[in-house]
Amino acid sequence: RQRARALLELLPKVGHYGDIASIPLELQDLTSHLRVPNAAMQAVREKQKEIETETGTLMLWLPSGSGAPNRQTEHLIPNGARVEAQYRGAWHNATVVYSSEQSIQISWEYDGSLDEVEPDQVREKDTSNAARAAWLRSHRVMVVLGQEKQRLECLLRVMVASEKPCPGLWSGDDAFEEAQVE
């Protein structure tokens, strides 16, 4: 009931192009987010109605400069991520084995040994390509409202629509992590 009420209160606030200032807390469990480069906005908006109709979702846009609403695990480095970790004041290559808010377990690249370090002793390596980084410097956050399976289909179709104006944007090995799909 709270979700239905929140949705009914949200809809009159949606702008002509799907712009919305924020997403109510009651609806955040039913949303996914994707950064869409400004260079791909026209291509995505041209397909928006079609994608919404075929996936049974609602696509909304947060204001320029907004980030996706924080999730509890958003700041955690994903397992398997290649990182640099600090050992005796120097940075060395490692891979994340397990990540929590209090500590990160890593495997050192030079000998494969495991170690547990503080989160501030680990930094992610830049794995994104230069073109993707340039496109995503200027972006809007798209919020998709609906059931999980339909949201994922919608996000994938938006990613495909983004590829024409931004070739290679989502086709790299690290694309899904870089997309910051929530």
Side-chain angles (χ1 to χ4, degrees):
R1 264 174 89 149
Q2 290 176 336
R3 286 182 178 167
R5 185 176 307 124
L7 183 59
L8 289 173
E9 291 173 4
L10 172 75
L11 291 176
K13 298 176 186 175
V14 176
H16 183 68
Y17 295 105
D19 296 327
I20 190 71
S22 64
I23 300 298
L25 194 56
E26 298 87 357
L27 297 176
Q28 287 188 9
D29 287 347
L30 296 174
T31 63
S32 295
H33 312 92
L34 178 69
R35 296 181 303 159
V36 177
N38 287 347
M41 287 294 296
Q42 181 178 351
V44 171
R45 290 203 184 211
E46 287 173 359
K47 296 269 189 188
Q48 184 168 340
K49 290 273 188 228
E50 176 185 328
I51 293 172
E52 286 177 323
T53 301
E54 292 178 4
T55 62
T57 58
L58 178 62
M59 296 164 56
L60 303 171
W61 299 91
L62 294 179
S64 294
S66 297
N70 290 335
R71 303 279 198 206
Q72 266 188 321
T73 59
E74 184 174 336
H75 64 282
L76 297 179
I77 299 173
N79 296 347
R82 297 183 48 89
V83 296
E84 292 180 321
Q86 203 171 33
Y87 179 76
R88 295 189 179 177
W91 294 96
H92 304 277
N93 293 329
T95 302
V96 173
V97 175
Y98 175 78
S99 179
S100 73
E101 292 182 24
Q102 294 80 26
S103 67
I104 299 175
Q105 185 177 29
I106 58 167
S107 171
W108 295 105
E109 187 177 287
Y110 69 91
D111 69 356
S113 65
L114 298 177
D115 204 355
E116 194 165 315
V117 296
E118 301 284 323
D120 64 349
Q121 294 177 296
V122 176
R123 63 185 182 198
E124 291 189 74
K125 293 179 89 172
D126 183 17
T127 59
S128 61
N129 66 43
R132 181 184 306 138
W135 284 319
L136 290 174
R137 269 190 217 106
S138 178
H139 69 274
R140 294 276 306 268
V141 174
M142 182 188 69
V143 179
V144 180
L145 183 63
Q147 296 300 314
E148 185 174 11
K149 183 178 176 183
Q150 287 77 16
R151 291 192 319 253
L152 182 56
E153 181 183 353
C154 176
L155 293 171
L156 291 172
R157 291 186 63 181
V158 168
M159 292 169 91
V160 168
S162 301
E163 283 286 323
K164 187 171 185 175
C166 304
L169 177 64
W170 302 125
S171 55
D173 292 340
D174 59 345
F176 201 73
E177 291 92 24
E178 187 67 27
Q180 297 180 358
V181 172
E182 290 280 334

